[in-house]
Amino acid sequence: QQPVQSPQAVILREGEDAVINCSSSKALYSVHWYRQKHGEAPVFLMILLKGGEQKGHEKISASFNEKKQQSSLYLTASQLSYSGTYFCGTVGSSNTGKLIFGQGTTLQVKP
Amino acid sequence: NAGVTQTPKFRVLKTGQSMTLLCAQDMNHEYMYWYRQDPGMGLRLIHYSVGEGTTAKGEVPDGYNVSRLKKQNFLLGLESAAPSQTSVYFCASRTATAGVGDTQYFGPGTRLTVL
């Protein structure tokens, strides 16, 4: 039931791009994306609702393919501040309120 | 507006002891959650609540109990702590509004060690 994220870890140089994928085996109502810095609480980035929409937040955007039950997070022209662990959280199609997180993708951006 | 607060921030217990973690939110959110985070395991849902007086089990509920007597508070109890419950515990709250305004806010976490 836990969504699967890939890759598990990414190392980038400043200015490079990255894609983080989130895949579920169940039908989804929405997908949430969060970033967590070491020793801190996760911070909300964006939510995507079923309908295949794509959203953006600064140079970070995401897409949601409802039919494939997949979401992708796109980080373009990465900055040092993008380093951290990224989590996707999924809400099932019945929207019971239950939010289940993937295992996380660790992103390290080097100068 | 404090957001989501958790008490205590750190705690060390001996095996078999009991304790209660308190989560409070001042955003009038309907949904509240308790997660535990272990290295390499991500955030795992323990219990959650969709409104005052209601609770439901998450992915890893064994060994924990919860109560939501007031809308703003969500308590997590450990009746007989075990070393396997050593973890960082996060509380979160979320609006009940489905749609673009749906946002989940996390508290700062409680670092619990069971010896």
Side-chain angles (χ1 to χ4, degrees):
Chain A
Q1 192 172 356
Q2 183 182 32
V4 177
Q5 290 183 231
S6 63
Q8 287 189 327
V10 182
I11 300 176
L12 299 173
R13 294 286 180 188
E14 268 189 297
E16 292 182 339
D17 301 340
V19 180
I20 299 171
N21 299 304
C22 175
S23 180
S24 174
S25 59
K26 293 183 178 289
L28 299 176
Y29 177 81
S30 63
V31 178
H32 301 221
W33 284 97
Y34 291 78
R35 177 171 61 206
Q36 184 180 31
K37 302 278 187 178
H38 183 69
E40 298 180 6
V43 174
F44 175 80
L45 292 176
M46 66 188 76
I47 180 175
L48 297 107
L49 305 174
K50 62 180 181 180
E53 67 172 296
Q54 185 155 354
K55 294 188 71 173
H57 177 76
E58 297 179 344
K59 292 181 181 177
I60 301 174
S61 62
S63 63
F64 176 27
N65 187 322
E66 178 189 351
K67 289 182 180 178
K68 292 186 177 180
Q69 297 150 200
Q70 293 175 345
S71 178
S72 294
L73 186 71
Y74 307 95
L75 299 101
T76 57
S78 59
Q79 306 166 11
L80 293 176
S81 62
Y82 286 1
S83 293
T85 301
Y86 289 79
F87 293 96
C88 68
T90 57
V91 178
S93 58
S94 58
N95 194 21
T96 60
K98 196 171 172 181
L99 181 60
I100 302 294
F101 285 90
Q103 80 280 17
T105 296
T106 301
L107 179 73
Q108 184 181 3
V109 182
K110 294 185 174 181
Chain B
N1 194 345
V4 181
T5 58
Q6 292 183 232
T7 309
K9 288 188 169 56
F10 301 94
R11 186 71 186 268
V12 178
L13 290 178
K14 294 182 179 178
T15 297
Q17 287 185 319
S18 63
M19 76 163 294
T20 300
L21 281 67
L22 171 63
C23 176
Q25 53 96 3
D26 60 2
M27 296 174 282
N28 202 34
H29 286 171
E30 292 293 335
Y31 298 164
M32 294 188 75
Y33 305 82
W34 276 108
Y35 295 92
R36 59 176 290 173
Q37 187 173 38
D38 304 297
M41 300 290 290
L43 292 153
R44 291 186 292 170
L45 182 63
I46 304 172
H47 286 280
Y48 65 106
S49 168
V50 299
E52 181 179 319
T54 72
T55 62
K57 293 181 180 180
E59 302 171 273
V60 288
D62 294 342
Y64 305 94
N65 57 74
V66 289
S67 64
R68 182 107 180 261
L69 298 179
K70 293 183 179 180
K71 186 177 183 179
Q72 63 268 34
N73 296 335
F74 196 28
L75 280 66
L76 178 72
L78 286 74
E79 290 185 348
S80 180
S84 61
Q85 294 177 304
T86 294
S87 187
V88 179
Y89 291 85
F90 285 103
C91 173
S93 73
R94 175 178 164 223
T95 62
T97 304
V100 294
D102 187 355
T103 305
Q104 182 161 285
Y105 298 90
F106 280 83
T110 294
R111 198 169 290 273
L112 175 67
T113 302
V114 183
L115 302 175

